[in-house]
Amino acid sequence: MKHISTINIRKHGRTSIWIYLFFVVAGVAVGSWAAVRYDAAELVYINQCFLPSGGTQIPALVLGDIAFAAVFCFAAFFFGLCAVGQPFGIALLIYRGIGIGVAAAAAYLSMGAGAFVTVIFVLMPKAAAFAFLAALAVRETVSYSVTLFRCGLRKEENYTEKYSFRLYCIRFIVVMLLSLIISFADGAVWFIYNSAERG
């Protein structure tokens, strides 16, 4: 058995990021439907802090963003280390999209047309950023998982281009660092938004 740090992955095995974003969009559709039909937006593990309640403080919002980003990254990282982790990675993307869809639909249900500014200028930039990071993370998940699967079938014979476990870890660390930046930026945006409303 080849050591995990010397597993190869060919460059042509990396799928376009747009394919992964498609699953996020699919999740958005499911989330929008669920928010209208089942009031799913009230559950924090469903809305994933994409649209906080009126009483949510900025520090709690930032910590919520960080917590969900960390759980998502850990899950994506773990599934990448499984030979059959690909469908679970895709499921993570759909789940992330559900949070976005639920939050956007709930905003319109509660505020009507007045939610336009909130959704466009507060929710969507954060949602787009986290969706892109989720797609990047799951692309790594699928790539590494596929390679492990091929190794298990003994179909990987060319080890000249090495995709190391160390590089796999570094990429997820980068994704998490970017998630931290987005979380703090989201807190700043909500602070400005709330200040403007009070003003």
Side-chain angles (χ1 to χ4, degrees):
M1 176 179 287
K2 296 290 189 297
H3 192 275
I4 195 169
S5 65
T6 61
I7 287 176
N8 168 63
I9 184 167
R10 295 182 177 87
K11 293 181 180 179
H12 60 68
R14 297 175 63 82
T15 311
S16 170
I17 195 71
W18 296 106
I19 299 297
Y20 297 100
L21 287 173
F22 167 81
F23 290 103
V24 178
V25 173
V28 171
V30 173
S32 300
W33 175 80
V36 173
R37 194 171 179 89
Y38 299 109
D39 296 327
E42 297 179 3
L43 304 174
V44 68
Y45 59 86
I46 298 296
N47 65 48
Q48 303 170 50
C49 292
F50 277 109
L51 191 66
S53 62
T56 303
Q57 300 296 314
I58 300 300
L61 171 64
V62 173
L63 288 176
D65 287 344
I66 293 173
F68 275 102
V71 170
F72 183 93
C73 284
F74 175 80
F77 180 86
F78 173 78
F79 290 135
L81 300 181
C82 302
V84 292
Q86 306 96 319
F88 297 102
I90 298 302
L92 285 175
L93 289 180
I94 296 174
Y95 171 69
R96 205 61 162 145
I98 287 174
I100 298 170
V102 161
Y108 280 109
L109 288 173
S110 62
M111 295 185 285
F116 180 80
V117 173
T118 302
V119 171
I120 295 299
F121 295 102
V122 181
L123 172 62
M124 292 313 297
K126 166 187 174 178
F130 273 123
F132 185 74
L133 287 184
L136 285 178
V138 172
R139 183 169 71 170
E140 297 303 319
T141 298
V142 172
S143 295
Y144 209 75
S145 179
V146 166
T147 302
L148 287 172
F149 183 77
R150 291 177 63 87
C151 286
L153 296 178
R154 298 183 178 180
K155 290 186 176 181
E156 287 289 348
E157 298 176 354
N158 179 15
Y159 288 85
T160 58
E161 297 174 3
K162 301 260 172 57
Y163 181 83
S164 69
F165 179 67
R166 178 184 176 187
L167 180 58
Y168 180 71
C169 293
I170 289 174
R171 288 178 174 174
F172 271 94
I173 290 172
V174 170
V175 168
M176 192 61 223
L177 289 176
L178 291 175
S179 297
L180 290 175
I181 293 172
I182 294 170
S183 298
F184 283 109
D186 180 50
V189 168
W190 273 103
F191 177 79
I192 295 170
Y193 176 75
N194 291 337
S195 300
E197 278 200 327
R198 289 193 294 266

